[in-house]
Amino acid sequence: MIVQSDRITDFDSTVVCLFTSDASLQGETRILVRPSAMNGLNHDCYVMAEKPIAISKQHLGSKIGELEQIYMQRIVRALRVVLDM
């Protein structure tokens, strides 16, 4: 999931948070996302806000959907915890 601002365009990388379907580790930095027509997911997944990484734009695949606002709010809160902001 891309978490980088749309205003940052001059770099060859993009900041993302990865998804996992592994439910064994849960906490305030793992955000459960349920599938919907809007987000394009096929099964329950967790956004791992505790693992933001920068990846090359060449490694980005095609867009499959957008997360609903409720999930985005939870992810923002989790990133604030991770980044101590």
Coordinates of all heavy atoms in Angstrom, one line a residue:
M1 N 0.8 -1.2 0.0 CA 0.0 0.0 0.0 C 0.9 1.2 0.0 O 1.8 1.3 0.8 CB -0.9 0.0 1.3 CG -1.9 1.1 1.3 SD -2.4 1.4 2.9 CE -1.8 3.0 3.1
I2 N 0.7 2.1 -0.9 CA 1.5 3.3 -1.0 C 1.1 4.3 0.1 O -0.1 4.6 0.2 CB 1.4 4.0 -2.4 CG1 1.9 3.1 -3.5 CG2 2.1 5.4 -2.4 CD1 1.7 3.6 -4.9
V3 N 2.1 4.8 0.9 CA 1.8 5.7 2.0 C 2.5 7.0 1.7 O 2.4 7.9 2.5 CB 2.2 5.1 3.3 CG1 1.3 4.0 3.7 CG2 3.6 4.7 3.4
Q4 N 3.2 7.1 0.6 CA 4.0 8.4 0.3 C 3.0 9.4 -0.2 O 2.1 9.1 -1.0 CB 5.1 8.0 -0.7 CG 5.9 9.2 -1.1 CD 7.1 8.8 -2.0 OE1 7.9 8.0 -1.5 NE2 7.1 9.3 -3.2
S5 N 3.3 10.7 0.1 CA 2.5 11.8 -0.4 C 2.6 11.9 -1.9 O 3.6 11.7 -2.5 CB 3.0 13.1 0.2 OG 2.5 14.2 -0.4
D6 N 1.5 12.2 -2.6 CA 1.5 12.5 -4.0 C 2.3 13.7 -4.4 O 2.6 13.8 -5.6 CB 0.0 12.7 -4.5 CG -0.8 11.4 -4.4 OD1 -0.3 10.3 -4.4 OD2 -2.1 11.6 -4.4
R7 N 2.6 14.5 -3.4 CA 3.5 15.7 -3.7 C 4.9 15.4 -4.0 O 5.7 16.2 -4.5 CB 3.3 16.7 -2.6 CG 1.9 17.3 -2.5 CD 1.8 18.3 -1.4 NE 2.0 17.6 -0.1 CZ 2.0 18.2 1.1 NH1 1.8 19.5 1.2 NH2 2.2 17.5 2.2
I8 N 5.3 14.2 -3.6 CA 6.7 13.8 -3.7 C 6.8 13.0 -5.0 O 6.4 11.8 -5.1 CB 7.2 12.9 -2.5 CG1 7.1 13.8 -1.2 CG2 8.6 12.5 -2.7 CD1 7.4 13.0 0.0
T9 N 7.4 13.6 -6.0 CA 7.4 12.9 -7.3 C 8.8 12.8 -8.0 O 9.0 12.1 -9.0 CB 6.5 13.7 -8.3 OG1 7.0 15.0 -8.4 CG2 5.1 13.7 -7.9
D10 N 9.8 13.5 -7.4 CA 11.1 13.6 -8.0 C 12.1 12.4 -7.7 O 13.2 12.4 -8.2 CB 11.8 14.9 -7.7 CG 11.0 16.1 -8.2 OD1 10.2 15.9 -9.1 OD2 11.1 17.2 -7.6
F11 N 11.6 11.4 -7.0 CA 12.5 10.4 -6.6 C 12.2 9.1 -7.4 O 11.1 9.0 -7.9 CB 12.5 10.1 -5.1 CG 12.9 11.3 -4.3 CD1 12.0 12.1 -3.6 CD2 14.3 11.6 -4.2 CE1 12.4 13.2 -2.8 CE2 14.7 12.7 -3.4 CZ 13.7 13.5 -2.8
D12 N 13.1 8.2 -7.4 CA 12.9 6.9 -8.1 C 12.3 5.8 -7.2 O 12.1 4.7 -7.6 CB 14.1 6.4 -8.8 CG 15.2 6.1 -7.8 OD1 15.1 6.4 -6.6 OD2 16.3 5.5 -8.2
S13 N 11.9 6.2 -6.0 CA 11.4 5.2 -5.1 C 10.1 5.7 -4.5 O 9.8 6.9 -4.6 CB 12.3 4.9 -4.0 OG 12.6 6.0 -3.2
T14 N 9.3 4.8 -3.9 CA 8.0 5.2 -3.3 C 7.9 4.5 -1.9 O 8.3 3.3 -1.8 CB 6.9 4.7 -4.2 OG1 7.0 5.4 -5.4 CG2 5.5 5.0 -3.6
V15 N 7.4 5.1 -0.9 CA 7.3 4.5 0.4 C 6.0 3.7 0.5 O 4.9 4.3 0.1 CB 7.3 5.6 1.5 CG1 7.2 4.9 2.9 CG2 8.6 6.4 1.4
V16 N 6.1 2.5 0.9 CA 4.9 1.6 1.0 C 4.8 0.9 2.3 O 5.9 0.8 3.0 CB 4.9 0.6 -0.1 CG1 4.9 1.2 -1.5 CG2 6.1 -0.4 0.0
C17 N 3.7 0.4 2.7 CA 3.5 -0.5 3.8 C 3.0 -1.8 3.2 O 2.1 -1.8 2.3 CB 2.5 0.0 4.8 SG 3.2 1.3 5.9
L18 N 3.6 -2.9 3.6 CA 3.3 -4.2 3.0 C 2.0 -4.8 3.6 O 1.6 -4.4 4.7 CB 4.4 -5.2 3.2 CG 5.8 -4.7 2.6 CD1 6.9 -5.7 3.0 CD2 5.7 -4.5 1.1
F19 N 1.4 -5.7 2.9 CA 0.2 -6.4 3.4 C 0.7 -7.8 3.8 O 1.7 -8.3 3.2 CB -0.8 -6.6 2.3 CG -1.7 -5.4 2.0 CD1 -1.3 -4.5 1.1 CD2 -2.9 -5.3 2.7 CE1 -2.1 -3.4 0.8 CE2 -3.7 -4.2 2.4 CZ -3.3 -3.3 1.5
T20 N 0.0 -8.4 4.7 CA 0.2 -9.8 5.1 C -1.2 -10.4 5.3 O -2.1 -9.7 5.7 CB 1.1 -10.0 6.3 OG1 1.3 -11.4 6.5 CG2 0.5 -9.4 7.5
S21 N -1.3 -11.7 5.1 CA -2.5 -12.4 5.5 C -2.3 -13.2 6.8 O -3.3 -13.8 7.3 CB -3.0 -13.4 4.4 OG -1.9 -14.3 4.1
D22 N -1.1 -13.1 7.3 CA -0.8 -13.8 8.6 C -1.4 -13.1 9.8 O -1.0 -12.0 10.1 CB 0.7 -13.9 8.7 CG 1.2 -14.6 10.0 OD1 0.3 -15.1 10.8 OD2 2.4 -14.7 10.2
A23 N -2.4 -13.7 10.4 CA -3.1 -13.1 11.5 C -2.4 -13.4 12.9 O -2.9 -13.0 13.9 CB -4.5 -13.5 11.5
S24 N -1.3 -14.1 12.9 CA -0.7 -14.5 14.1 C -0.1 -13.4 14.9 O 0.0 -13.5 16.2 CB 0.4 -15.6 13.9 OG 1.5 -15.0 13.2
L25 N 0.3 -12.3 14.3 CA 0.8 -11.1 15.0 C -0.2 -10.0 14.8 O -0.3 -9.5 13.7 CB 2.2 -10.7 14.5 CG 3.4 -11.6 14.8 CD1 4.6 -11.1 14.1 CD2 3.6 -11.7 16.3
Q26 N -0.8 -9.6 15.9 CA -1.7 -8.5 15.8 C -1.4 -7.4 16.9 O -0.7 -7.7 17.8 CB -3.2 -9.0 16.0 CG -3.6 -10.0 15.0 CD -5.1 -10.4 15.2 OE1 -5.8 -9.8 15.9 NE2 -5.4 -11.5 14.5
G27 N -1.8 -6.2 16.6 CA -1.5 -5.1 17.5 C -1.9 -3.8 16.9 O -2.5 -3.8 15.8
E28 N -1.6 -2.7 17.6 CA -2.0 -1.4 17.1 C -1.4 -1.0 15.7 O -1.8 -0.1 15.1 CB -1.8 -0.4 18.1 CG -0.4 -0.1 18.5 CD -0.3 1.0 19.6 OE1 -1.0 2.0 19.5 OE2 0.6 0.8 20.5
T29 N -0.3 -1.7 15.3 CA 0.3 -1.4 14.1 C -0.1 -2.3 12.9 O 0.4 -2.1 11.8 CB 1.9 -1.4 14.2 OG1 2.3 -2.7 14.5 CG2 2.3 -0.4 15.3
R30 N -0.9 -3.3 13.2 CA -1.4 -4.2 12.1 C -2.9 -3.8 11.9 O -3.7 -4.0 12.8 CB -1.3 -5.6 12.5 CG 0.2 -6.1 12.7 CD 0.7 -6.6 11.3 NE 2.1 -6.8 11.4 CZ 2.7 -8.0 11.3 NH1 2.0 -9.1 11.1 NH2 4.0 -8.1 11.3
I31 N -3.2 -3.3 10.7 CA -4.5 -2.9 10.4 C -5.3 -3.9 9.6 O -4.9 -4.1 8.4 CB -4.5 -1.5 9.7 CG1 -3.6 -0.5 10.5 CG2 -5.9 -1.0 9.5 CD1 -4.0 -0.3 12.0
L32 N -6.3 -4.5 10.1 CA -7.1 -5.5 9.4 C -7.9 -4.7 8.3 O -8.6 -3.8 8.6 CB -8.1 -6.2 10.3 CG -9.1 -7.1 9.6 CD1 -8.4 -8.3 8.9 CD2 -10.0 -7.7 10.7
V33 N -7.8 -5.2 7.1 CA -8.5 -4.7 5.9 C -9.3 -5.8 5.3 O -8.8 -6.9 5.0 CB -7.6 -4.1 4.9 CG1 -8.4 -3.6 3.7 CG2 -6.7 -3.0 5.5
R34 N -10.6 -5.6 5.3 CA -11.5 -6.6 4.7 C -11.7 -6.3 3.2 O -11.7 -5.2 2.8 CB -12.9 -6.6 5.4 CG -12.7 -6.9 6.9 CD -13.8 -7.8 7.4 NE -13.7 -7.9 8.9 CZ -13.2 -9.0 9.4 NH1 -12.8 -10.0 8.7 NH2 -13.1 -9.1 10.8
P35 N -11.9 -7.4 2.4 CA -12.1 -7.2 0.9 C -13.4 -6.4 0.6 O -14.4 -6.5 1.3 CB -12.1 -8.6 0.4 CG -12.3 -9.5 1.5 CD -12.0 -8.8 2.8
S36 N -13.3 -5.6 -0.4 CA -14.4 -4.9 -1.0 C -14.2 -4.6 -2.4 O -13.1 -4.7 -2.9 CB -14.6 -3.5 -0.2 OG -13.6 -2.6 -0.6
A37 N -15.3 -4.2 -3.1 CA -15.1 -3.8 -4.5 C -14.2 -2.6 -4.7 O -13.5 -2.5 -5.7 CB -16.5 -3.5 -5.1
M38 N -14.2 -1.7 -3.7 CA -13.4 -0.5 -3.8 C -11.9 -0.8 -3.7 O -11.0 -0.3 -4.4 CB -13.8 0.5 -2.7 CG -13.0 1.8 -2.8 SD -13.7 3.0 -1.6 CE -12.5 4.3 -1.8
N39 N -11.5 -1.7 -2.7 CA -10.1 -2.0 -2.5 C -9.5 -3.1 -3.3 O -8.3 -3.3 -3.4 CB -9.8 -2.2 -1.0 CG -10.4 -3.4 -0.4 OD1 -10.5 -4.4 -1.0 ND2 -10.9 -3.2 0.9
G40 N -10.4 -3.9 -3.9 CA -9.9 -5.0 -4.8 C -9.3 -6.2 -4.2 O -8.8 -7.0 -4.9
L41 N -9.3 -6.3 -2.9 CA -8.7 -7.4 -2.2 C -9.6 -8.6 -2.3 O -10.8 -8.5 -2.4 CB -8.5 -7.1 -0.7 CG -7.4 -6.0 -0.5 CD1 -7.4 -5.7 1.0 CD2 -6.1 -6.4 -1.0
N42 N -9.0 -9.8 -2.2 CA -9.8 -11.1 -2.4 C -10.0 -11.8 -1.0 O -10.8 -12.6 -0.9 CB -9.0 -12.1 -3.3 CG -9.0 -11.6 -4.7 OD1 -9.9 -11.0 -5.2 ND2 -7.8 -11.8 -5.3
H43 N -9.2 -11.4 0.0 CA -9.4 -11.9 1.3 C -8.9 -11.0 2.4 O -8.2 -10.0 2.0 CB -8.6 -13.3 1.4 CG -7.2 -13.2 1.1 ND1 -6.7 -13.2 -0.2 CD2 -6.1 -13.0 1.9 CE1 -5.4 -13.1 -0.2 NE2 -5.0 -12.9 1.0
D44 N -9.2 -11.2 3.6 CA -8.7 -10.4 4.7 C -7.2 -10.2 4.7 O -6.5 -11.2 4.5 CB -9.1 -10.9 6.1 CG -10.6 -10.8 6.4 OD1 -11.3 -10.2 5.5 OD2 -11.1 -11.3 7.4
C45 N -6.7 -9.0 4.9 CA -5.3 -8.8 4.9 C -5.0 -7.8 6.1 O -5.9 -7.1 6.5 CB -4.8 -8.1 3.6 SG -4.9 -9.2 2.2
Y46 N -3.7 -7.7 6.4 CA -3.3 -6.8 7.4 C -2.2 -5.9 6.8 O -1.3 -6.3 6.2 CB -2.7 -7.5 8.7 CG -3.7 -8.3 9.4 CD1 -4.0 -9.6 9.1 CD2 -4.3 -7.8 10.5 CE1 -4.9 -10.3 9.8 CE2 -5.2 -8.5 11.3 CZ -5.5 -9.8 10.9 OH -6.4 -10.5 11.6
V47 N -2.4 -4.5 7.0 CA -1.4 -3.6 6.6 C -0.4 -3.6 7.7 O -0.8 -3.4 8.9 CB -2.0 -2.2 6.3 CG1 -0.8 -1.2 6.1 CG2 -2.9 -2.2 5.2
M48 N 0.9 -3.7 7.4 CA 1.9 -3.8 8.5 C 2.6 -2.4 8.5 O 3.6 -2.1 7.9 CB 3.0 -4.8 8.1 CG 2.5 -6.2 8.1 SD 3.7 -7.5 7.8 CE 4.1 -7.2 6.1
A49 N 1.9 -1.5 9.3 CA 2.4 -0.1 9.5 C 3.7 0.0 10.1 O 4.4 1.0 10.0 CB 1.4 0.7 10.2
E50 N 4.1 -1.1 10.9 CA 5.4 -1.1 11.6 C 6.6 -1.4 10.6 O 7.7 -1.4 11.0 CB 5.4 -2.1 12.7 CG 5.6 -3.5 12.3 CD 4.3 -4.2 11.9 OE1 3.3 -3.6 11.7 OE2 4.4 -5.5 11.7
K51 N 6.3 -1.6 9.3 CA 7.3 -2.0 8.4 C 7.3 -1.1 7.1 O 7.2 -1.6 6.0 CB 7.2 -3.4 8.0 CG 7.4 -4.4 9.1 CD 7.4 -5.8 8.6 CE 7.6 -6.8 9.8 NZ 7.6 -8.1 9.4
P52 N 7.2 0.2 7.2 CA 7.3 1.1 6.0 C 8.6 0.9 5.3 O 9.7 0.8 6.0 CB 7.1 2.5 6.5 CG 7.5 2.5 7.9 CD 7.3 1.1 8.4
I53 N 8.6 0.8 4.0 CA 9.9 0.7 3.3 C 9.8 1.5 2.0 O 8.7 1.8 1.5 CB 10.2 -0.8 2.9 CG1 9.1 -1.4 2.0 CG2 10.4 -1.7 4.1 CD1 9.4 -2.8 1.4
A54 N 10.9 1.8 1.4 CA 11.0 2.5 0.1 C 11.3 1.5 -0.9 O 12.3 0.7 -0.7 CB 12.0 3.6 0.2
I55 N 10.6 1.4 -2.0 CA 10.9 0.5 -3.0 C 11.0 1.3 -4.4 O 10.4 2.3 -4.5 CB 9.8 -0.6 -3.2 CG1 8.4 -0.1 -3.5 CG2 9.7 -1.5 -1.9 CD1 7.4 -1.1 -3.9
S56 N 11.7 0.7 -5.3 CA 11.9 1.3 -6.6 C 10.5 1.4 -7.3 O 9.7 0.4 -7.2 CB 12.8 0.5 -7.4 OG 12.8 0.9 -8.8
K57 N 10.2 2.5 -7.9 CA 9.0 2.6 -8.7 C 8.9 1.5 -9.8 O 7.8 1.2 -10.1 CB 8.9 4.0 -9.3 CG 8.6 5.1 -8.3 CD 8.5 6.4 -8.9 CE 8.2 7.5 -7.8 NZ 8.1 8.8 -8.4
Q58 N 10.0 1.0 -10.2 CA 10.0 -0.1 -11.2 C 9.3 -1.3 -10.7 O 8.8 -2.1 -11.4 CB 11.4 -0.4 -11.7 CG 12.1 0.7 -12.4 CD 13.5 0.4 -12.8 OE1 14.1 -0.4 -12.1 NE2 14.0 1.0 -13.8
H59 N 9.3 -1.5 -9.3 CA 8.7 -2.7 -8.7 C 7.3 -2.6 -8.4 O 6.7 -3.5 -7.9 CB 9.5 -3.1 -7.5 CG 10.9 -3.6 -7.8 ND1 12.0 -2.8 -7.6 CD2 11.4 -4.7 -8.4 CE1 13.1 -3.5 -8.0 NE2 12.7 -4.6 -8.5
L60 N 6.7 -1.4 -8.6 CA 5.3 -1.2 -8.4 C 4.5 -1.9 -9.5 O 4.8 -1.8 -10.6 CB 4.9 0.3 -8.3 CG 5.4 1.1 -7.2 CD1 5.1 2.6 -7.4 CD2 4.9 0.6 -5.9
G61 N 3.5 -2.6 -9.1 CA 2.6 -3.3 -10.0 C 1.5 -2.3 -10.4 O 1.5 -1.1 -10.1
S62 N 0.5 -2.9 -11.0 CA -0.7 -2.0 -11.4 C -1.6 -1.8 -10.2 O -1.6 -2.7 -9.2 CB -1.5 -2.7 -12.5 OG -1.9 -4.0 -12.1
K63 N -2.3 -0.8 -10.1 CA -3.2 -0.4 -9.1 C -4.4 -1.4 -9.1 O -5.0 -1.6 -10.1 CB -3.7 1.0 -9.2 CG -4.6 1.5 -8.2 CD -5.0 3.0 -8.4 CE -6.0 3.5 -7.4 NZ -6.3 4.9 -7.6
I64 N -4.7 -1.9 -7.9 CA -5.9 -2.8 -7.8 C -7.1 -2.2 -7.1 O -8.2 -2.7 -7.2 CB -5.5 -4.2 -7.1 CG1 -5.1 -3.9 -5.7 CG2 -4.4 -4.9 -7.9 CD1 -5.1 -5.2 -4.8
G65 N -6.8 -1.1 -6.4 CA -7.9 -0.4 -5.7 C -7.5 0.6 -4.8 O -6.3 1.0 -4.8
E66 N -8.4 1.2 -4.0 CA -8.1 2.2 -3.0 C -8.7 1.7 -1.7 O -9.8 1.2 -1.7 CB -8.7 3.5 -3.4 CG -8.0 4.1 -4.6 CD -8.5 5.5 -4.9 OE1 -9.0 6.2 -3.9 OE2 -8.5 5.9 -6.1
L67 N -8.0 2.0 -0.6 CA -8.5 1.7 0.7 C -9.6 2.7 1.1 O -9.4 3.9 0.9 CB -7.4 1.6 1.7 CG -6.5 0.5 1.6 CD1 -5.5 0.5 2.8 CD2 -7.2 -0.9 1.6
E68 N -10.6 2.2 1.8 CA -11.6 3.1 2.3 C -11.1 4.0 3.3 O -10.1 3.7 4.0 CB -12.8 2.2 2.8 CG -13.5 1.4 1.8 CD -12.9 0.1 1.4 OE1 -11.8 -0.1 1.7 OE2 -13.6 -0.6 0.6
Q69 N -11.7 5.1 3.5 CA -11.3 6.2 4.5 C -11.1 5.6 5.9 O -10.1 6.0 6.6 CB -12.3 7.4 4.5 CG -11.8 8.6 5.2 CD -10.5 9.2 4.6 OE1 -10.3 9.1 3.4 NE2 -9.7 9.8 5.5
I70 N -12.0 4.8 6.3 CA -11.8 4.2 7.7 C -10.5 3.5 7.9 O -9.9 3.6 8.9 CB -13.0 3.3 8.1 CG1 -13.0 2.9 9.5 CG2 -13.1 2.1 7.2 CD1 -13.3 4.1 10.5
Y71 N -10.1 2.8 6.9 CA -8.8 2.1 7.0 C -7.6 3.1 6.9 O -6.6 2.9 7.6 CB -8.6 1.0 5.8 CG -9.7 -0.1 5.9 CD1 -10.5 -0.4 4.8 CD2 -9.8 -0.9 7.1 CE1 -11.4 -1.4 4.9 CE2 -10.7 -1.9 7.1 CZ -11.5 -2.1 6.0 OH -12.4 -3.2 6.1
M72 N -7.8 4.0 6.0 CA -6.7 5.0 5.9 C -6.5 5.8 7.2 O -5.4 6.0 7.7 CB -7.0 6.0 4.8 CG -7.0 5.4 3.4 SD -5.4 4.6 3.0 CE -4.3 6.0 3.1
Q73 N -7.6 6.1 7.9 CA -7.5 6.8 9.2 C -6.7 5.9 10.2 O -5.9 6.4 11.0 CB -8.8 7.2 9.8 CG -9.5 8.2 9.0 CD -11.0 8.4 9.3 OE1 -11.6 7.6 10.0 NE2 -11.6 9.5 8.8
R74 N -7.0 4.6 10.2 CA -6.4 3.7 11.2 C -4.9 3.5 10.8 O -4.0 3.5 11.7 CB -7.1 2.3 11.1 CG -8.5 2.3 11.7 CD -9.1 1.0 11.5 NE -10.5 1.1 11.9 CZ -11.5 0.2 11.6 NH1 -11.2 -0.8 10.8 NH2 -12.7 0.4 12.0
I75 N -4.6 3.5 9.5 CA -3.2 3.4 9.1 C -2.4 4.6 9.5 O -1.3 4.5 10.0 CB -3.1 3.1 7.6 CG1 -3.7 1.7 7.4 CG2 -1.7 3.2 7.1 CD1 -4.0 1.4 5.9
V76 N -3.0 5.8 9.3 CA -2.3 7.0 9.7 C -2.0 7.0 11.2 O -0.9 7.4 11.6 CB -3.2 8.3 9.3 CG1 -2.6 9.5 10.0 CG2 -3.2 8.4 7.8
R77 N -3.0 6.6 12.0 CA -2.8 6.5 13.4 C -1.6 5.6 13.8 O -0.8 5.8 14.6 CB -4.0 6.1 14.2 CG -5.0 7.3 14.3 CD -6.1 7.0 15.3 NE -6.9 5.8 15.0 CZ -8.0 5.8 14.3 NH1 -8.5 7.0 13.8 NH2 -8.7 4.7 14.1
A78 N -1.6 4.4 13.1 CA -0.6 3.4 13.3 C 0.8 3.9 12.9 O 1.8 3.7 13.6 CB -0.9 2.1 12.6
L79 N 0.9 4.6 11.8 CA 2.1 5.2 11.3 C 2.6 6.3 12.3 O 3.9 6.4 12.6 CB 2.0 5.8 9.9 CG 2.0 4.8 8.8 CD1 1.6 5.4 7.5 CD2 3.3 4.1 8.7
R80 N 1.7 7.0 12.9 CA 2.1 8.0 13.9 C 2.8 7.3 15.1 O 3.7 7.8 15.7 CB 1.0 8.9 14.3 CG 0.6 9.9 13.3 CD -0.5 10.8 13.8 NE -0.9 11.7 12.8 CZ -2.1 12.1 12.5 NH1 -3.1 11.7 13.2 NH2 -2.3 13.0 11.5
V81 N 2.2 6.2 15.5 CA 2.8 5.4 16.6 C 4.2 4.9 16.2 O 5.2 5.1 17.0 CB 1.9 4.2 17.0 CG1 2.6 3.3 18.0 CG2 0.6 4.7 17.6
V82 N 4.3 4.3 15.1 CA 5.6 3.8 14.6 C 6.6 4.8 14.5 O 7.8 4.6 14.9 CB 5.4 3.0 13.2 CG1 6.7 2.7 12.6 CG2 4.5 1.8 13.4
L83 N 6.3 6.0 13.9 CA 7.2 7.1 13.7 C 7.4 8.0 14.8 O 8.1 9.0 14.8 CB 6.9 7.8 12.4 CG 6.9 6.9 11.1 CD1 6.3 7.7 10.0 CD2 8.2 6.4 10.8
D84 N 6.6 7.8 15.9 CA 6.6 8.6 17.1 C 6.3 10.1 16.8 O 7.0 11.0 17.2 CB 8.0 8.5 17.9 CG 7.9 9.0 19.3 OD1 6.8 9.0 19.9 OD2 8.9 9.4 19.8
M85 N 5.2 10.3 16.0 CA 4.9 11.6 15.6 C 3.6 12.1 16.3 O 2.7 11.4 16.5 CB 4.7 11.6 14.1 CG 5.9 11.3 13.3 SD 5.6 11.1 11.6 CE 5.5 12.9 11.1

